[in-house]
Amino acid sequence: DQGLYRHLRFATPGNSIGWYELITTPNLLTINGDMGTYMFSRVEDMFHFFDRPDGSINPDYWAEKIHASSDPAAVYSAKVFTDTIRDAAIDQLDDVDEALQGPALAALEEEVLDYASEGEEEARGALERFSNDLLEFTDTWEYNFTGHSFRYLWNLHAIVHGIARYRALAGQSAEETAAAA
């Protein structure tokens, strides 16, 4: 720990599960460990960037600051696919008689949404093949069916937790270190 140059290791002695290290240099923070490696860059002291006294994370914004990673921050999500397509269908059926909505949604469920868990290629293929008088999905390549990966979210929580532990051991609060900078 030398100012902006830090190398902190977090692990349970005698156990390699869930270990990680936080490494900072000016304008960079790298987390490396059991759940992969992510390198972020945004401000000179990256501890200030990630410091969250309430323990919260900001996965969308922080993903924009990734410079390198061993694993993707975003991956295909069957839940996002299903939610997105259901919402689009409900919007399309808004002015349709309720008696006709049920069969259209049942067809969508059987012909498209049942393929959501088969992977993005299968799900997109089913969506593109879907044909119904009341529902139409065009420009399907524009849909984004990704969510944050488990590893990415785990690492974000580890960063926030590690910084909080570091501050507690150093007897510092985020506000005090920001004021001293």
Side-chain angles (χ1 to χ4, degrees):
D1 179 7
Q2 297 177 339
L4 297 177
Y5 297 88
R6 304 176 190 96
H7 187 162
L8 311 171
R9 184 173 168 84
F10 300 86
T12 302
N15 187 343
S16 64
I17 298 172
W19 73 272
Y20 65 96
E21 57 189 352
L22 297 177
I23 304 163
T24 63
T25 61
N27 301 302
L28 287 175
L29 179 141
T30 301
I31 181 166
N32 177 56
D34 190 37
M35 296 296 277
T37 303
Y38 293 86
M39 180 184 291
F40 300 87
S41 181
R42 173 64 176 88
V43 297
E44 186 176 38
D45 186 351
M46 291 298 292
F47 271 23
H48 292 304
F49 180 70
F50 285 105
D51 210 345
R52 298 292 187 118
D54 65 355
S56 66
I57 61 172
N58 189 348
D60 292 326
Y61 181 61
W62 292 351
E64 296 172 8
K65 307 310 174 200
I66 296 174
H67 278 238
S69 65
S70 63
D71 298 290
V75 294
Y76 168 75
S77 166
K79 180 180 179 345
V80 171
F81 177 86
T82 300
D83 291 349
T84 300
I85 299 307
R86 272 196 187 123
D87 289 347
I90 289 167
D91 286 347
Q92 289 182 45
L93 296 171
D94 189 39
D95 295 330
V96 174
D97 185 287
E98 285 187 33
L100 299 174
Q101 289 181 13
L105 290 172
L108 180 68
E109 188 75 35
E110 182 179 322
E111 296 175 37
V112 177
L113 300 182
D114 283 353
Y115 291 89
S117 62
E118 301 295 322
E120 184 171 13
E121 189 174 323
E122 285 292 323
R124 281 187 183 275
L127 181 61
E128 289 167 10
R129 291 186 302 273
F130 182 69
S131 176
N132 185 281
D133 292 337
L134 298 175
L135 294 172
E136 181 180 27
F137 297 93
T138 58
D139 302 331
T140 60
W141 63 86
E142 292 183 4
Y143 285 110
N144 179 357
F145 301 124
T146 60
H148 300 293
S149 72
F150 174 79
R151 284 176 172 256
Y152 173 63
L153 294 174
W154 188 97
N155 276 283
L156 295 185
H157 284 287
I159 291 168
V160 170
H161 176 262
I163 292 170
R165 292 287 309 252
Y166 169 80
R167 299 257 192 250
L169 288 172
Q172 303 171 324
S173 71
E175 295 77 18
E176 290 171 338
T177 57

